[in-house]
Amino acid sequence: MSDTRDSIRQHASTFRDPRWVYQHLTNVLKFYHPTCIDTTYGGYIPQLSDHDGTIYDSRSKLLPATCRLVFNFSVGSMLDGPAWCEQAAEHGLSYLVNQHRDAETGGYAWVMNGRDVEDATRSTYGHAFVLFALASAGTAGIGDVDEYLDEVTETIEEHFWEPDPGLFRSNLDADWNPVSTYRGQNANMHMCEAHLAAYDYTGDEHYLDRAYTIAENLALTLSDRGDGLLWEHYTEDWELDWEYNRDQPGHLFRPWGYQPGHLLEWSKLLVSLSHHRDEEWLVERAVRFFDAAVENGWDDEYGGFVYNFDRDGETIEDDKYYWPLAEGIGATVLLNDATGEERFLDWYDRIWSYAWENVVNRGNGNWYFKLTRENEIHSDIDDSPEVKVGYHQINACYEVLRTAGDVD
């Protein structure tokens, strides 16, 4: 049993020290660099073993992985981290706009194999991360991103935005034709995040308006049509689809049920939006989502967040993934800053303590992808199609440092 009061007290002062958080962020970057730098095909090699950092696939390049590593190294540069961060970000940025990007259409391929397109799907989720990466690099003063940022913004608006209901549609093929009628909150959540990043970089109100509209329609209007929480899956007409993947509750990308990790991620985004829009519902809903995530998602016996829970608050899949912990860390510091309630810092300490004792690979600096309920490392962590590049951890540490005032 790892979630103990003594353990939390022992580590709390450490986890709240910005110097320690900065060092942890740097350690995550060092786990990936220089191994992830692909000098053969360009871009990154993100498939590194959670155990020892060895490469298990040197050719596959998933669009979000490319974008997330650009973000990671951009953050490192912004924080005056290791000198190689700027060059590493430029390296990935060049591959993003010259290889993933189709110069004729402005679309970005979902998967590359070396320098060849393996899957040309125009993914909503993927294009959100393109916008996010470009804005992050721009904020760090890395590369000449403005032309590409304007282009991908136009592409997103033209092909993915649905004015009514004011949300983004799902994936398209290389010719911009729909590939399914599915609609989902996950891609829209990352579109919200990306538009906030683009607003931070450009100051263009368009991005803030889009981010707010997404949040209002998903986290307020559609949530109120359901259980007051944020459901994952919708029909083509944006009706709540209570049956989608009910038979696949452990699905890696579209599981049935409520996901504590996404509720925490939305808590963070809603508080961030409240810095720009004086709307009471933003922080109120952020607190509601956070409370639901910890009440229904935290394992009181073994610690950590379960993967998902049903509409009655009962656990569905009890595996523990790394990323909800990182999102919880980011949410707690923002909620504490917004509300002044000490309980959020208590949760900050609790989440960090669990992660440090169970999820952080202290020898290498990375985080293990998935644990069993009893906190044993899953045997399949290096076989997952989900590429783990440290984005969630870097983002969490960056949020802690920004909230503490350690970032300009």
Side-chain angles (χ1 to χ4, degrees):
M1 183 173 174
S2 300
D3 184 25
T4 64
R5 292 182 182 274
D6 288 343
S7 173
I8 294 169
R9 290 194 195 99
Q10 176 186 350
H11 295 301
S13 61
T14 299
F15 301 140
R16 296 192 191 189
D17 184 345
R19 294 169 299 180
W20 183 89
V21 174
Y22 174 82
Q23 187 58 57
H24 185 72
L25 182 153
T26 304
N27 289 342
V28 176
L29 291 174
K30 288 179 177 178
F31 172 76
Y32 292 96
H33 189 277
T35 308
C36 76
I37 302 298
D38 189 343
T39 57
T40 302
Y41 300 106
Y44 305 118
I45 301 172
Q47 290 81 219
L48 308 185
S49 168
D50 278 0
H51 293 291
D52 56 13
T54 57
I55 296 169
Y56 60 87
D57 177 354
S58 63
R59 292 180 63 96
S60 299
K61 301 175 189 296
L62 191 68
L63 180 59
T66 299
C67 296
R68 289 176 171 189
L69 281 165
V70 169
F71 164 78
N72 291 355
F73 293 123
S74 295
V75 167
S77 181
M78 280 185 255
L79 295 175
D80 296 323
W84 39 258
C85 285
E86 182 175 352
Q87 184 178 2
E90 289 176 341
H91 183 80
L93 192 61
S94 175
Y95 187 90
L96 176 64
V97 299
N98 291 306
Q99 303 299 328
H100 277 288
R101 174 176 165 269
D102 182 337
E104 292 185 8
T105 68
Y108 288 74
W110 177 244
V111 181
M112 304 294 293
N113 186 329
R115 293 194 187 97
D116 300 322
V117 175
E118 183 172 300
D119 184 346
T121 298
R122 303 316 191 214
S123 161
T124 316
Y125 183 94
H127 281 73
F129 273 104
V130 172
L131 180 61
F132 184 68
L134 293 171
S136 301
T139 300
I142 295 171
D144 186 8
V145 302
D146 291 358
E147 178 182 347
Y148 298 110
L149 188 141
D150 290 343
E151 179 189 66
V152 78
T153 299
E154 292 176 6
T155 297
I156 288 170
E157 286 292 305
E158 178 180 355
H159 295 292
F160 295 105
W161 180 248
E162 296 182 307
D164 185 15
L167 291 163
F168 289 98
R169 67 185 308 157
S170 295
N171 296 352
L172 307 170
D173 65 20
D175 296 317
W176 305 110
N177 299 309
V179 297
S180 78
T181 59
Y182 175 83
R183 298 292 185 270
Q185 81 79 21
N186 192 13
N188 277 273
M189 177 180 70
H190 285 292
M191 278 291 187
C192 181
E193 174 189 44
H195 281 74
L196 273 174
Y199 175 71
D200 286 342
Y201 170 53
T202 66
D204 187 336
E205 291 289 331
H206 161 79
Y207 294 113
L208 182 59
D209 290 342
R210 276 285 177 268
Y212 182 83
T213 298
I214 296 165
E216 185 177 37
N217 287 329
L218 267 174
L220 191 65
T221 302
L222 287 174
S223 291
D224 285 345
R225 291 181 190 170
D227 303 318
L229 298 178
L230 205 129
W231 192 247
E232 296 285 327
H233 312 298
Y234 300 84
T235 68
E236 186 175 19
D237 296 325
W238 282 98
E239 296 295 328
L240 288 91
D241 190 341
W242 298 112
E243 298 303 315
Y244 185 89
N245 274 358
R246 181 183 279 270
D247 60 342
Q248 299 186 67
H251 195 284
L252 188 58
F253 301 108
R254 296 178 179 178
W256 188 80
Y258 290 108
Q259 288 194 270
H262 284 162
L263 292 171
L264 295 167
E265 207 160 351
W266 267 109
S267 292
K268 184 180 71 175
L269 289 172
L270 293 172
V271 177
S272 295
L273 272 167
S274 75
H275 296 160
H276 307 292
R277 291 286 176 89
D278 185 18
E279 300 283 349
E280 288 187 7
W281 75 266
L282 289 166
V283 173
E284 291 173 354
R285 192 58 53 107
V287 171
R288 179 191 295 189
F289 288 175
F290 179 89
D291 287 345
V294 298
E295 179 180 350
N296 302 307
W298 186 262
D299 185 336
D300 289 328
E301 182 174 0
Y302 293 100
F305 291 104
V306 301
Y307 188 43
N308 48 2
F309 58 88
D310 66 19
R311 296 181 66 188
D312 295 320
E314 299 298 321
T315 297
I316 304 172
E317 296 288 328
D318 58 16
D319 287 337
K320 314 286 179 59
Y321 289 84
Y322 76 101
W323 60 270
L325 299 165
E327 295 306 322
I329 289 166
T332 52
V333 293
L334 282 167
L335 283 165
N336 171 260
D337 187 60
T339 67
E341 294 183 28
E342 185 70 17
R343 69 186 181 99
F344 294 115
L345 286 186
D346 292 339
W347 271 106
Y348 173 88
D349 297 336
R350 193 177 192 183
I351 294 169
W352 257 126
S353 181
Y354 172 83
W356 184 246
E357 293 189 5
N358 298 282
V359 181
V360 176
N361 181 345
R362 300 191 207 178
N364 292 321
N366 65 304
W367 292 27
Y368 292 113
F369 178 60
K370 181 171 66 169
L371 307 180
T372 65
R373 188 194 172 202
E374 295 79 14
N375 301 324
E376 298 295 325
I377 300 169
H378 254 283
S379 59
D380 63 351
I381 57 173
D382 290 338
D383 299 324
S384 166
E386 166 73 4
V387 179
K388 300 86 67 178
V389 297
Y391 145 80
H392 289 281
Q393 304 94 297
I394 295 292
N395 213 347
C397 292
Y398 183 48
E399 205 63 73
V400 172
L401 295 172
R402 285 205 296 183
T403 304
D406 285 26
V407 179
D408 293 335

